[in-house]
Amino acid sequence: MKNIFLSASVPLPERHPKYYDTADIIAIRDAVIALASLVLGKHRIIWGGHPSITPLINFVIERSIQYRLDKELYGLSSEEQKEFLFNEIKKEIQNHVTIYQSLFFKDKFPEDNEKFENIVFTEDKGDIPSSVQFMRVEMLSKNEFAAAVFIGGMNGIEDEYKMFKKYHPEALILPIASTGAATKIVYDNLFPEEMKNDRFLKDYGYMSLFQKFLMDKI
């Protein structure tokens, strides 16, 4: 099982218009759901717990659990057996996701956090920039990553792209520029020309995109 770093968020309207005005919110959500749908059960997604992304990952987890239950419950008669199977499937799928969260935001954690078993809490450094920076360093320096996927987002996407390149220079990087916002800025200005591909800009069939450029390559 390999680790895949997800850097993503839905831009907020009160932030810099260069992010919000170019964001394709439907594409951001579709891309995150497609990525999680392909990766869960095979590899592990690690992300910084942005409140616009965590509920989407949880949606895929719950859907995956239900799909497995529908397949495997046949023939089980007792409620005890069914509950055991549910817990085993949930535990297995939860092993494929890890959230990093700074304790600076402990009073603002999204409710969906409670549905995840693998959360790494990092130290509150007293202010947002220092706390977020520390969380990112812990997340990116203490895990081995085979790949990173960048979707939508704001200035944090640009910061995390540079940091990921520093800690994992040989890893696969996919900036999904069709989702707009900060990822499009990264694609245009930071992503190497020889790595660019029109499908990152124009292909909204994210399942096939991730299968070809991520799953088939790691």
Short mmCIF file of all heavy atoms in Angstrom, two decimals, residues 34-35 38 199 203-216:
data_model
loop_
_atom_site.label_atom_id
_atom_site.label_comp_id
_atom_site.label_asym_id
_atom_site.label_seq_id
_atom_site.Cartn_x
_atom_site.Cartn_y
_atom_site.Cartn_z
N ALA A 34 -13.74 11.04 -7.21
CA ALA A 34 -13.16 10.06 -8.13
C ALA A 34 -11.84 9.52 -7.59
O ALA A 34 -11.59 8.31 -7.63
CB ALA A 34 -12.96 10.68 -9.50
N LEU A 35 -10.99 10.41 -7.09
CA LEU A 35 -9.70 9.98 -6.54
C LEU A 35 -9.90 9.02 -5.37
O LEU A 35 -9.30 7.93 -5.34
CB LEU A 35 -8.90 11.20 -6.06
CG LEU A 35 -7.56 10.88 -5.40
CD1 LEU A 35 -6.56 10.35 -6.41
CD2 LEU A 35 -7.01 12.12 -4.70
N LEU A 38 -11.17 5.50 -6.36
CA LEU A 38 -10.16 4.62 -6.95
C LEU A 38 -9.11 4.17 -5.94
O LEU A 38 -8.66 3.03 -5.97
CB LEU A 38 -9.46 5.33 -8.11
CG LEU A 38 -10.19 5.37 -9.45
CD1 LEU A 38 -9.43 6.25 -10.43
CD2 LEU A 38 -10.34 3.97 -10.02
N ARG A 199 -4.87 16.74 -20.96
CA ARG A 199 -5.92 16.08 -20.19
C ARG A 199 -6.04 16.67 -18.79
O ARG A 199 -7.13 16.68 -18.21
CB ARG A 199 -5.69 14.57 -20.12
CG ARG A 199 -5.93 13.87 -21.45
CD ARG A 199 -5.92 12.37 -21.31
NE ARG A 199 -7.03 11.89 -20.49
CZ ARG A 199 -7.26 10.61 -20.23
NH1 ARG A 199 -6.45 9.67 -20.72
NH2 ARG A 199 -8.28 10.24 -19.48
N ASP A 203 -9.82 17.45 -19.34
CA ASP A 203 -10.51 16.18 -19.15
C ASP A 203 -11.24 16.17 -17.81
O ASP A 203 -10.60 16.21 -16.75
CB ASP A 203 -9.50 15.02 -19.22
CG ASP A 203 -10.19 13.66 -19.29
OD1 ASP A 203 -11.39 13.58 -18.97
OD2 ASP A 203 -9.51 12.69 -19.66
N TYR A 204 -12.57 16.11 -17.86
CA TYR A 204 -13.38 16.07 -16.64
C TYR A 204 -13.82 14.64 -16.30
O TYR A 204 -14.59 14.45 -15.36
CB TYR A 204 -14.60 16.98 -16.78
CG TYR A 204 -14.22 18.45 -16.86
CD1 TYR A 204 -13.88 19.03 -18.08
CD2 TYR A 204 -14.17 19.24 -15.73
CE1 TYR A 204 -13.51 20.37 -18.17
CE2 TYR A 204 -13.81 20.59 -15.79
CZ TYR A 204 -13.48 21.14 -17.02
OH TYR A 204 -13.12 22.46 -17.09
N GLY A 205 -13.34 13.68 -17.05
CA GLY A 205 -13.60 12.27 -16.73
C GLY A 205 -12.55 11.79 -15.74
O GLY A 205 -11.59 11.10 -16.12
N TYR A 206 -12.73 12.17 -14.48
CA TYR A 206 -11.65 12.01 -13.50
C TYR A 206 -11.33 10.56 -13.16
O TYR A 206 -10.19 10.24 -12.83
CB TYR A 206 -11.96 12.82 -12.25
CG TYR A 206 -12.00 14.31 -12.51
CD1 TYR A 206 -13.15 15.05 -12.29
CD2 TYR A 206 -10.87 14.96 -13.02
CE1 TYR A 206 -13.18 16.41 -12.55
CE2 TYR A 206 -10.89 16.32 -13.29
CZ TYR A 206 -12.06 17.04 -13.05
OH TYR A 206 -12.09 18.39 -13.33
N MET A 207 -12.32 9.68 -13.24
CA MET A 207 -12.02 8.28 -12.95
C MET A 207 -11.00 7.73 -13.94
O MET A 207 -10.00 7.12 -13.54
CB MET A 207 -13.32 7.45 -13.00
CG MET A 207 -14.28 7.74 -11.87
SD MET A 207 -13.73 7.15 -10.25
CE MET A 207 -14.12 5.41 -10.39
N SER A 208 -11.23 7.95 -15.21
CA SER A 208 -10.29 7.44 -16.22
C SER A 208 -8.96 8.20 -16.17
O SER A 208 -7.90 7.63 -16.40
CB SER A 208 -10.90 7.51 -17.62
OG SER A 208 -11.18 8.85 -17.98
N LEU A 209 -9.03 9.49 -15.86
CA LEU A 209 -7.82 10.30 -15.75
C LEU A 209 -6.90 9.76 -14.65
O LEU A 209 -5.70 9.55 -14.86
CB LEU A 209 -8.19 11.76 -15.47
CG LEU A 209 -7.03 12.76 -15.42
CD1 LEU A 209 -6.49 13.03 -16.82
CD2 LEU A 209 -7.49 14.07 -14.78
N PHE A 210 -7.48 9.54 -13.47
CA PHE A 210 -6.67 9.04 -12.36
C PHE A 210 -6.22 7.59 -12.57
O PHE A 210 -5.14 7.21 -12.13
CB PHE A 210 -7.43 9.16 -11.04
CG PHE A 210 -7.57 10.58 -10.55
CD1 PHE A 210 -8.80 11.07 -10.14
CD2 PHE A 210 -6.47 11.42 -10.49
CE1 PHE A 210 -8.93 12.37 -9.68
CE2 PHE A 210 -6.59 12.72 -10.04
CZ PHE A 210 -7.82 13.20 -9.63
N GLN A 211 -7.04 6.82 -13.26
CA GLN A 211 -6.62 5.45 -13.55
C GLN A 211 -5.37 5.44 -14.42
O GLN A 211 -4.40 4.73 -14.14
CB GLN A 211 -7.74 4.68 -14.24
CG GLN A 211 -7.43 3.21 -14.50
CD GLN A 211 -7.22 2.42 -13.22
OE1 GLN A 211 -8.07 2.43 -12.33
NE2 GLN A 211 -6.08 1.75 -13.10
N LYS A 212 -5.38 6.28 -15.45
CA LYS A 212 -4.27 6.29 -16.40
C LYS A 212 -3.02 6.95 -15.84
O LYS A 212 -1.91 6.43 -15.98
CB LYS A 212 -4.69 7.01 -17.69
CG LYS A 212 -3.56 7.13 -18.73
CD LYS A 212 -4.05 7.80 -19.99
CE LYS A 212 -2.91 8.01 -20.99
NZ LYS A 212 -2.31 6.74 -21.43
N PHE A 213 -3.18 8.10 -15.20
CA PHE A 213 -2.00 8.89 -14.81
C PHE A 213 -1.55 8.66 -13.37
O PHE A 213 -0.46 9.11 -12.99
CB PHE A 213 -2.28 10.38 -15.02
CG PHE A 213 -2.38 10.76 -16.47
CD1 PHE A 213 -3.60 10.86 -17.10
CD2 PHE A 213 -1.23 11.01 -17.22
CE1 PHE A 213 -3.70 11.20 -18.46
CE2 PHE A 213 -1.31 11.35 -18.55
CZ PHE A 213 -2.54 11.44 -19.17
N LEU A 214 -2.37 7.97 -12.58
CA LEU A 214 -1.98 7.71 -11.19
C LEU A 214 -1.91 6.20 -10.91
O LEU A 214 -0.83 5.67 -10.66
CB LEU A 214 -2.97 8.37 -10.23
CG LEU A 214 -2.74 8.13 -8.74
CD1 LEU A 214 -1.42 8.77 -8.28
CD2 LEU A 214 -3.90 8.66 -7.91
N MET A 215 -3.05 5.55 -10.97
CA MET A 215 -3.11 4.15 -10.54
C MET A 215 -2.24 3.23 -11.39
O MET A 215 -1.66 2.27 -10.89
CB MET A 215 -4.56 3.66 -10.54
CG MET A 215 -5.50 4.49 -9.66
SD MET A 215 -5.00 4.53 -7.92
CE MET A 215 -5.51 2.89 -7.42
N ASP A 216 -2.16 3.52 -12.68
CA ASP A 216 -1.35 2.68 -13.57
C ASP A 216 0.16 2.96 -13.47
O ASP A 216 0.96 2.25 -14.07
CB ASP A 216 -1.78 2.85 -15.03
CG ASP A 216 -3.17 2.27 -15.31
OD1 ASP A 216 -3.67 1.52 -14.44
OD2 ASP A 216 -3.73 2.55 -16.38
#
